[in-house]
Amino acid sequence: MLSEDLKNKYTVVIGLEVHAQLLTESKMFASDAVAYGETPNKNISVITLAHPGTLPRINKRAVEFAIRMGIACRSQISRYNIFDRKNYFYPDLPKGYQLTQDRTPICKGGAVTVKTSEGARAIVLNRVHLEEDAGKSLHLAGEADTLVDFNRAGTPLIEIVTEPVIRNADEASSFLTEVRKLVRYLDICDGNMEEGSLRCDVNISLMPAGSTVFGKKVEVKNLNSFSNVRRAIEFETERQATMLERGEAVASETRTFDANTGTTAAMRTKEELNDYRYFPEPDLSPLIVSEEWLQRIEAQMPSLPEELYQRFTAEYGLSDYDAQVLTDSKGIALYFQEICSKTQNYKAAANWMNGPIKGSMNERSIEIEDFPLAPEQIAALIALVDSEKVSFSVASQRIYPLLLQNPKLTPLAIAERENLVQESNQDALLPIIQEVITENPAKVAEYRKGRKGIIGMFMGEVMKKSRGKADPKVANKLLQQALEQ
Amino acid sequence: MKNFSSLSEIKASLKTGTLSCATLVEHYLKNIEEHKHLNAFLEVYTEEARLQAQRVDEKLRLGTAGRLAGLVVGLKDVLCLQDKGLQASSKILDGFISQFTGTAVQRLLDEDAIIIGRQNCDEFAMGSSNENSAFGPVRNAADPDRVPGGSSGGSAVAVQADLCQVSLGTDTGGSVRQPAAFTGLVGFKPSYGRISRWGLLAYASSFDVIGIFAKSIEDCALVLEVMAGPDEYDSTATQLEVPAYTQKLDRGNAKYKVAYIKNTLESEGLSAAVKQRTVEKLRWLEEQGHTVEAVDFPLLDYMLPTYYILTTAEASSNLSRFDGVRYGYRSPNADSLESMYKLTRSEGFGAEVKRRIMLGTFVLSASYYDAYYTKAQKVRRLIKEATQALLGTYDFLVMPTTPTTAFKLGEHTEDPLEMYLADIFTVHANLCGIPAISLPNGTDSSGLPVGIQIVADLYQEDKLLAFSQYLQGAAT
C-alpha cells in the first residue's frame, strides 16, 4: 500500500468512461431484437451483419433514453446530431467501423452528484453520447477457430464521460453507484456489470500535489465490476507513484486489468496506435431533436432518486438515513411510495420497509418486484397496529409471516382467525389481573414495599394468561391501579 | 424483332397481340447470347425472366398488369436482388448471394417489370472504362475495340445492343452519364436522395445515386416515377412527394435561360468533335429563341480533386466490411487474423479499388484529415453554393458529358489520372447532389456517339426531363 506521505505528495486525476447498454427492444440502427443470453447469432439481420447494400436506421427510442439521461444530469441536449464512423478492423465489428457520436454528443456537460466522506460533490460530465456495441469473439475450448457471436453487435449504448475530476477510488465507486442508480431509475439500463450492460474504462494520471499540469494519462480497460474499478485505480495509483518516485516517465498508454492478479498490463502498442479516422456517417441524415420531442420526453421522465429523497424527507418527515436507504433502489422507493399513498404513518411505513420487508427479501434473495405482498397489505398492517388492535410485535412476528404465506388474506382476517386481536377492554382484562395478583401474594407485597421494577413480571404473567392479546398500555395501567390499591 | 424505342411502343404491340412478354424475353435472351463477346452480363436470369414473363402475360390478359408490364430491365452488379449473386464485379464478393431486394428494384417488380440479369461494371463502381472488372472488360457495341465507359459499362451496352429495354446503373461521379454518352443512350442521374439507396452497394454514400439507361426520355420518366420517393430504410432519401414525371414531359412554349461554363469548352482535353457538337446544340437553342450565355466558374479546376478526396474517403470506410470474416472471399493463405485481413483484401480487391482505399485512408488519417478531408468538404460546399447561385439565374447548365468519345481499350489504363479526366464534366452534379442527364448528341467523324449533358437545380427532375424531351425531339 501507498504510504500516507506518498499519497499526499501526488494528486490523482481520474476520469471515467461508462458504457451503459440501453434497454431498448431493438438495436441502435436495426430492428433485430436486443436480448442477453440468446443462442449465438440469433438476433442478427443483414444490417447487423453489414451486408452490402444495407443502411442504418436510427432507433428513436434509444435517442430518447440518452436524452433522459441528459435531462437527469442537467446536460445540454444537442438539437442537431450527426453520427460519426470510428474505423478499425476487428472480427466482431461487422462494418469495419463503429457508429458513434464524436463531434455532436447528444448530451453535453451536466453532472452527477455523489456522496463522499466530505459531503455531496458534483462530478462534472464532459458528455453523454450514443453509439453501437460490437459483437463478441468466442474462443471456445477445443475449437481451433475463433467464433463470433453478433447478437450484441449494434446494441445501443450510451457512453457517459466525466471530466477528469475524480480524485480517488472511493469517489469513482460512488460515481458508479450513482450512475447505476440513475440508469435504473430512468429505466434505460439494467445496470448489471457482470453481464456487461454497464462497463467502465478508467483514465488515470498523477501530478505533484498543487500542480495544475496533468501527468501522462493511462487508460485502463476491461473493468467489469465495481471492485475491479476500485482495485485498478489503487493499483495504478501505486504503480504510477512508484515510477514517478524513481524518476521514471509514465507512458501514455492503454492497459488492461487482470482481475486474477489485480494488476494492469500494457496492451500491444499496435492495438492502441489505431488511427480511427473519424468522419461523419454519410449514410444517415442529421438527427434533429425538436422542441416538441424534447418536451414530450421531459413530460415522461420517471421520478429521480434525488426528487424522491426530497419528498421523503420534506413531505414525509423521514430522517436522512431512512430516505437514503429507501431511495437506493427504484423498486423499493416506488413500493414505499405506494404504501405511503395508503397510510399517513410514513415513519411506520419506513420501519416496515427497512425492517421486516427487507428482511424477507434478503432471506428469500428476491427483489422487491418479486415480493409477494401488495403495498396495500403493508398499509393495512400499519392501520391494524395504529388502531391498537394488535401490537407491532404481534403484527410483525405473528401476522406478517402468515400473511406472506397467504397473500390473499387481509391482516385483520389473519389476526381474527388466529385470535390475535388484542384485549383493550377493561372488563375482559380485570379478571386476569385479579387472578395474577391473587396468585402472587409475596410479589405483591414486595411491590408495595417499593420494588416497583417487578411490575414487568406481573405484565408478563398478564400477557401469558391473555395469550398475548392484552393491549400492553391498557393492561399496564390497570395493573398499576390494582397494585397500588 | 424490332428494336423498340420505348415501353409505350412495346405496350402497343402487347395490346394488339402481336407481341407477348414471353416472346419479348426470348428476343432479349437470344440477343444476349449473340452478344456474349461484349461481356455485358455477369449472370442472366433465364428461368426467372421466363416465369415472370408468363406471369405478366397472364396479368395483361386479366387486365391487372402494373405500369411496367412489358419492361425488361437489367441491373448493374451493385444492386441487390434477393437470392441472386451480388459481387460488384469483384473477387472479394465471390459467391455472395443477396438476402434482400433493394427498394428501387422492388418498386420496379411491384409494377411488373421483368429483371433479366445482372450486368458487368467496374469493380465497386470505380472506373470510367469498365476495364476494372474482375470479370474482364465490357466492349462498346459501336466498336468492340473501344470501351463503353464506366463504371456502369455493362448496363449501358445492354441497352445499346438491345439486350434489355432499360438498365439501372449507379452514378457516383458520372458512372451512368459517361457510358451513356459513349454508347449513344439517354443516361439519367436524379437528385441525390430522390431514389432510396437501400439495396445499392455503397461506393461513396454521399454521392451515390441509382441512375437509368434508356432509349427514350419517356422511359426514363416512367421508371423514375416508379422508383423515386421516401423510404423508411434510407434516412438520406428525400421525403418530398414524387411528381408525375410522365405527365410533365410537355414543356409547352417555355423559353429557357441556359448557361454554359466557358472553361468547359476551352478545356485542354476536349476533342474537336465533342466541342463542335456542343457548340452546334447551343447555337440551335439560341436560334429557337432561348437565352444562351457563357458564364465563369472559377471552381471548375477544384472539382475533380474534391470529388476524389471525398469519394475515396467514404469508399475506404464503406469497403472495410469486405474483410473475409462473414461472407465473400477469404484468402486460403492466411495463418493469423492479421494476415487473413491483409491477404484477403490484397487478393480480393483489384488495383484501382486498392488505390482508392489507400487514398481515402490517407485523407482521413489524423495528420492529414484537415488538410484534405475537411478542406474538400469546404470546397464541396463552395461549389454547391456557386452552382445554386447559377441555377437561380439560369434554368439549366449545358456542357459536354465527356471530353472525348469512347476511347480504345487499354488507352488510359497506364495513367489513372488521365482516366480520372474522363469524369471531369460529370462529377459536378454529384458534388452538388443535383440532377443531370446525358443525351445523344450526334456522332464524331468515326461514327462514335457524342453526348451532351444538361444539369438542373435540386429536385427539378420534371423540368430537366421536359427539356430533354424537347431536345430529343429536335434531334430526331
Side-chain angles (χ1 to χ4, degrees):
Chain A
M1 273 308 285
L2 217 52
S3 73
E4 275 311 303
D5 275 1
L6 215 50
K7 260 189 190 164
N8 294 334
K9 197 169 164 186
Y10 293 104
T11 303
V12 185
V13 180
I14 300 167
L16 296 183
E17 293 169 13
V18 181
H19 288 89
Q21 268 182 5
L22 299 179
L23 284 172
T24 51
E25 283 171 22
S26 56
K27 292 187 176 176
M28 186 65 230
F29 300 106
S31 57
D32 344 348
V34 170
Y36 180 79
E38 268 291 359
T39 313
N41 293 315
K42 183 155 182 284
N43 297 327
I44 55 171
S45 64
V46 287
I47 298 180
T48 298
L49 293 182
H51 277 207
T54 56
L55 299 168
R57 280 198 291 172
I58 295 176
N59 181 341
K60 287 265 167 73
R61 194 85 184 130
V63 177
E64 291 180 3
F65 282 7
I67 292 176
R68 271 193 208 168
M69 187 66 182
I71 293 172
C73 301
R74 296 192 174 80
S75 311
Q76 186 195 332
I77 309 299
S78 298
R79 299 311 188 83
Y80 180 89
N81 288 270
I82 51 168
F83 284 85
D84 297 283
R85 292 185 182 179
K86 178 181 180 178
N87 294 282
Y88 66 95
F89 286 99
Y90 206 71
D92 65 14
L93 188 72
K95 293 189 291 291
Y97 51 84
Q98 178 198 30
L99 288 186
T100 179
Q101 293 187 296
D102 185 38
R103 280 170 215 208
T104 59
I106 182 96
C107 315
K108 289 181 214 147
V112 172
T113 305
V114 302
K115 303 195 166 61
T116 71
S117 48
E118 295 142 46
R121 193 164 172 244
I123 303 295
V124 178
L125 301 184
N126 174 282
R127 53 155 64 196
V128 177
H129 69 249
L130 277 161
E131 59 185 32
E132 58 178 337
D133 211 342
K136 263 184 192 162
S137 298
L138 305 172
H139 310 275
L140 301 181
E143 183 77 54
D145 294 327
T146 300
L147 303 175
V148 190
D149 175 8
F150 291 105
N151 281 347
R152 197 181 69 176
T155 298
L157 298 175
I158 48 171
E159 181 174 341
I160 304 151
V161 184
T162 74
E163 292 292 351
V165 292
I166 296 170
R167 292 172 301 202
N168 52 49
D170 283 343
E171 275 187 11
S173 187
S174 305
F175 175 78
L176 282 175
T177 308
E178 283 307 313
V179 165
R180 183 168 66 176
K181 203 201 278 188
L182 260 184
V183 295
R184 284 177 171 169
Y185 264 87
L186 293 169
D187 269 335
I188 60 175
C189 171
D190 65 21
N192 191 330
M193 278 193 100
E194 283 67 37
E195 287 179 6
S197 37
L198 201 65
R199 304 194 287 269
C200 183
D201 296 341
V202 173
N203 290 305
I204 176 167
S205 66
L206 263 57
M207 60 182 176
S211 169
T212 50
V213 184
F214 288 164
K216 285 272 193 282
K217 182 182 85 177
V218 170
E219 185 177 9
V220 187
K221 287 184 176 290
N222 195 23
L223 302 169
N224 60 358
S225 74
F226 280 37
S227 75
N228 285 350
V229 171
R230 179 181 285 278
R231 289 163 73 203
I233 290 174
E234 279 162 1
F235 177 82
E236 269 305 305
T237 306
E238 189 155 346
R239 187 185 71 88
Q240 292 183 28
T242 311
M243 287 182 76
L244 293 172
E245 280 301 296
R246 285 198 211 120
E248 293 169 23
V250 173
S252 186
E253 62 186 358
T254 304
R255 301 175 72 87
T256 52
F257 180 72
D258 182 340
N260 292 322
T261 59
T263 60
T264 66
M267 289 173 85
R268 286 190 302 148
T269 24
K270 243 184 195 167
E271 282 170 13
E272 62 162 314
L273 280 182
N274 251 329
D275 178 353
Y276 291 120
R277 290 167 284 127
Y278 287 99
F279 76 102
E281 161 63 309
D283 280 336
L284 285 171
S285 54
L287 169 74
I288 311 292
V289 179
S290 67
E291 185 59 37
E292 189 212 343
W293 191 18
L294 190 56
Q295 279 177 8
R296 213 163 50 231
I297 299 167
E298 267 168 355
Q300 292 164 355
M301 280 289 280
S303 295
L304 295 175
E306 194 55 33
E307 285 166 37
L308 292 173
Y309 178 88
Q310 289 302 332
R311 184 177 308 157
F312 293 176
T313 48
E315 222 173 281
Y316 297 170
L318 299 185
S319 68
D320 284 352
Y321 174 80
D322 277 348
Q324 187 62 49
V325 174
L326 287 170
T327 52
D328 262 352
S329 129
K330 180 182 188 180
I332 299 270
L334 293 186
Y335 190 93
F336 175 70
Q337 274 217 123
E338 275 292 304
I339 304 176
C340 291
S341 69
K342 307 275 191 306
T343 180
Q344 301 287 309
N345 194 345
Y346 307 126
K347 178 62 190 161
N351 290 344
W352 275 97
M353 283 305 306
N354 292 335
I357 296 176
K358 280 210 176 151
S360 316
M361 283 167 54
N362 286 339
E363 222 167 83
R364 302 173 171 211
S365 302
I366 53 167
E367 297 294 320
I368 189 75
E369 286 73 18
D370 302 314
F371 183 66
L373 301 184
E376 290 79 8
Q377 300 277 67
I378 307 300
L381 275 168
I382 293 169
L384 205 57
V385 175
D386 286 351
S387 68
E388 305 197 331
K389 285 207 169 74
V390 299
S391 64
F392 175 73
S393 60
V394 167
S396 62
Q397 282 159 31
R398 308 275 313 267
I399 302 176
Y400 174 73
L402 292 168
L403 198 56
L404 283 176
Q405 289 160 27
N406 307 282
K408 295 234 168 85
L409 294 178
T410 65
L412 181 61
I414 291 179
E416 280 169 350
R417 194 186 73 186
E418 300 294 316
N419 205 11
L420 292 170
V421 176
Q422 70 191 2
E423 203 49 82
S424 55
N425 188 327
Q426 302 200 359
D427 296 342
L429 286 174
L430 277 173
I432 299 176
I433 290 172
Q434 206 47 58
E435 217 180 302
V436 171
I437 288 180
T438 315
E439 284 170 6
N440 295 286
K443 300 277 181 195
V444 171
E446 261 185 68
Y447 180 88
R448 289 185 177 152
K449 275 183 201 152
R451 266 193 78 193
K452 305 287 185 201
I454 60 170
I455 190 160
M457 185 280 294
F458 291 105
M459 268 301 286
E461 288 297 305
V462 172
M463 292 308 278
K464 213 189 281 172
K465 284 189 190 288
S466 71
R467 276 173 300 143
K469 283 167 63 189
D471 180 326
K473 266 188 239 158
V474 179
N476 196 287
K477 206 175 90 199
L478 292 175
L479 194 59
Q480 246 175 33
Q481 283 170 4
L483 287 167
E484 312 272 295
Q485 271 172 11
Chain B
M1 190 179 291
K2 87 182 246 200
N3 186 335
F4 293 100
S5 69
S6 69
L7 177 61
S8 54
E9 267 188 38
I10 294 172
K11 279 184 171 166
S13 299
L14 287 169
K15 203 164 186 183
T16 59
T18 53
L19 181 73
S20 69
C21 291
T23 53
L24 188 63
V25 163
E26 292 309 322
H27 158 74
Y28 291 128
L29 289 173
K30 183 166 150 276
N31 271 359
I32 291 171
E33 192 56 36
E34 284 169 5
H35 292 83
K36 267 191 156 166
H37 60 285
L38 298 178
N39 202 17
F41 278 87
L42 296 180
E43 196 180 344
V44 182
Y45 308 142
T46 309
E47 290 317 310
E48 291 87 342
R50 282 177 175 152
L51 271 173
Q52 174 77 346
Q54 278 175 21
R55 276 196 293 266
V56 179
D57 279 333
E58 180 62 15
K59 279 187 171 182
L60 283 166
R61 205 178 55 77
L62 295 169
T64 58
R67 301 178 70 194
L68 300 183
L71 189 72
V72 175
V73 180
L75 304 178
K76 183 180 183 180
D77 189 24
V78 293
L79 296 169
C80 299
L81 181 61
Q82 189 169 1
D83 298 330
K84 291 294 171 197
L86 176 73
Q87 275 192 252
S89 290
S90 179
K91 180 178 171 185
I92 206 156
L93 275 169
D94 253 358
F96 183 77
I97 306 289
S98 182
Q99 293 184 16
F100 69 102
T101 298
T103 303
V105 174
Q106 188 58 52
R107 287 178 183 174
L108 296 188
L109 288 170
D110 291 345
E111 290 293 342
D112 291 330
I114 297 166
I115 309 292
I116 198 156
R118 66 182 162 111
Q119 296 158 334
N120 203 349
C121 57
D122 279 306
E123 186 181 3
F124 286 105
M126 297 176 183
S128 310
S129 66
N130 217 130
E131 290 166 293
N132 300 332
S133 166
F135 302 98
V138 178
R139 290 167 185 275
N140 195 318
D143 176 355
D145 288 334
R146 290 178 185 271
V147 303
S151 64
S152 316
S155 307
V157 169
V159 178
Q160 179 193 28
D162 199 31
L163 316 183
C164 56
Q165 181 66 17
V166 160
S167 289
L168 295 190
T170 57
D171 193 315
T172 305
S175 283
V176 166
R177 288 160 289 153
Q178 188 251 18
F182 280 10
T183 54
L185 296 173
V186 173
F188 180 55
K189 169 213 154 343
S191 303
Y192 178 79
R194 184 56 99 176
I195 300 175
S196 165
R197 291 185 296 121
W198 175 254
L200 155 57
L201 189 154
Y203 157 21
S205 306
S206 74
F207 293 78
D208 292 343
V209 59
I210 290 177
I212 303 161
F213 290 97
K215 298 167 196 167
S216 69
I217 299 298
E218 52 171 287
D219 282 2
C220 257
L222 177 58
V223 171
L224 176 66
E225 202 173 307
V226 169
M227 291 194 297
D231 177 18
E232 57 164 328
Y233 287 96
D234 180 3
S235 72
T236 65
T238 173
Q239 295 299 311
L240 289 177
E241 215 176 292
V242 180
Y245 300 114
T246 47
Q247 307 301 309
K248 301 179 81 177
L249 288 178
D250 185 357
R251 70 176 239 289
N253 279 315
K255 290 290 176 223
Y256 295 110
K257 281 190 83 176
V258 172
Y260 67 94
I261 297 172
K262 225 184 293 171
N263 351 18
T264 58
L265 289 185
E266 285 154 15
S267 78
E268 215 177 300
L270 188 64
S271 80
V274 173
K275 180 172 179 174
Q276 196 193 335
R277 291 284 98 79
T278 310
V279 169
E280 282 168 10
K281 190 64 93 185
L282 289 169
R283 198 168 296 147
W284 179 85
L285 278 170
E286 221 163 16
E287 285 163 12
Q288 303 305 307
H290 305 287
T291 307
V292 177
E293 285 175 3
V295 293
D296 284 316
F297 201 87
L299 291 166
L300 190 69
D301 286 345
Y302 296 96
M303 286 188 192
L304 267 185
T306 304
Y307 170 81
Y308 274 97
I309 288 169
L310 295 177
T311 54
T312 55
E314 292 182 13
S316 70
S317 175
N318 281 336
L319 269 54
S320 294
R321 66 188 60 195
F322 306 112
D323 56 6
V325 174
R326 298 168 313 287
Y327 49 72
Y329 176 76
R330 178 190 291 182
S331 173
N333 309 314
D335 56 8
S336 67
L337 178 60
E338 195 175 312
S339 70
M340 194 268 284
Y341 281 138
K342 286 184 175 169
L343 291 173
T344 296
R345 290 169 64 83
S346 298
E347 294 163 13
F349 288 131
E352 180 61 25
V353 173
K354 282 188 265 198
R355 178 159 32 239
R356 295 197 197 190
I357 289 173
M358 286 190 284
L359 191 55
T361 305
F362 172 78
V363 300
L364 286 176
S365 63
S367 331
Y368 297 97
Y369 187 87
D370 286 338
Y372 290 97
Y373 183 78
T374 307
K375 185 159 278 182
Q377 286 287 32
K378 285 179 187 163
V379 177
R380 184 181 193 183
R381 201 188 65 236
L382 291 177
I383 292 171
K384 262 189 199 177
E385 285 168 2
T387 307
Q388 257 162 14
L390 262 185
L391 288 169
T393 310
Y394 298 94
D395 295 296
F396 306 105
L397 298 181
V398 175
M399 61 189 95
T401 309
T402 55
T404 67
T405 52
F407 44 88
K408 290 219 156 113
L409 272 94
E411 198 176 322
H412 293 322
T413 43
E414 292 307 309
D415 183 358
L417 281 182
E418 211 172 275
M419 186 72 92
Y420 293 175
L421 285 174
D423 297 330
I424 190 160
F425 302 132
T426 47
V427 297
H428 187 176
N430 301 84
L431 282 164
C432 303
I434 53 182
I437 196 165
S438 177
L439 302 173
N441 189 28
T443 53
D444 68 6
S445 53
S446 333
L448 292 170
V450 173
I452 189 159
Q453 183 181 210
I454 323 293
V455 178
D457 207 352
L458 195 60
Y459 305 131
Q460 292 192 346
E461 285 88 354
D462 46 356
K463 197 169 143 188
L464 177 59
L465 287 167
F467 184 57
S468 301
Q469 178 79 323
Y470 165 62
L471 286 179
Q472 281 289 81
T476 50

